[in-house]
Amino acid sequence: MRQFLYRVSSALARFMYGRNGTDQLNMALLCAYLAALVLAALLGRISPVRVLLEAVTVALAVLVLFRTFSRNLSKRRAENERFLAWWRPVKQRITGARQRRRDKDHKYFTCKNCKTICRVPTGKGKIEITCPKCGGKIIGKS
């Protein structure tokens, strides 16, 4: 049995040699596929919406498989880089907001001029903050 599994894994490795495999864009497409699949199952009997969602799930599945087995590595890498250029700032905003919500020792203010986030300790009462980036004034209660 062990020999058989080794031969199968070796054959799979030889087959995938020179192919794109999975990357961050493929994982995002796979998550979108699963979300559309669950949404289609939940909507049940609403036929026009369900038909549209099923078409989207099929298209996403085909796209994931196409990108996984593609041998055009330069195009797939370029697609992934474009996706990451869009995704990294979104992910940083999400993680930053999560960390700010968890921080109970500081209050965060956003400058109206330059959108810089300024952090001050809580419990200081009504304060006036000078933005370190643009010099704008922020008045608020910490």
Side-chain angles (χ1 to χ4, degrees), residues 16-36:
M16 288 303 291
Y17 182 79
R19 296 180 192 273
N20 188 47
T22 58
D23 54 10
Q24 292 90 347
L25 178 56
N26 258 12
M27 293 307 291
L29 289 172
L30 188 62
C31 289
Y33 164 77
L34 292 174

Side-chain angles (χ1 to χ4, degrees), residues 92-131:
Q92 286 175 349
R93 269 184 265 139
I94 292 169
T95 56
R98 186 178 302 140
Q99 289 172 348
R100 287 190 297 276
R101 272 195 310 275
R102 288 183 186 157
D103 185 8
K104 302 300 179 193
D105 297 330
H106 297 91
K107 177 88 176 184
Y108 293 87
F109 295 96
T110 304
C111 178
K112 292 182 176 98
N113 299 332
C114 64
K115 307 293 186 227
T116 300
I117 298 173
C118 304
R119 182 180 83 153
V120 295
T122 57
K124 300 292 181 186
K126 189 173 181 181
I127 56 172
E128 180 177 310
I129 306 161
T130 303
C131 176

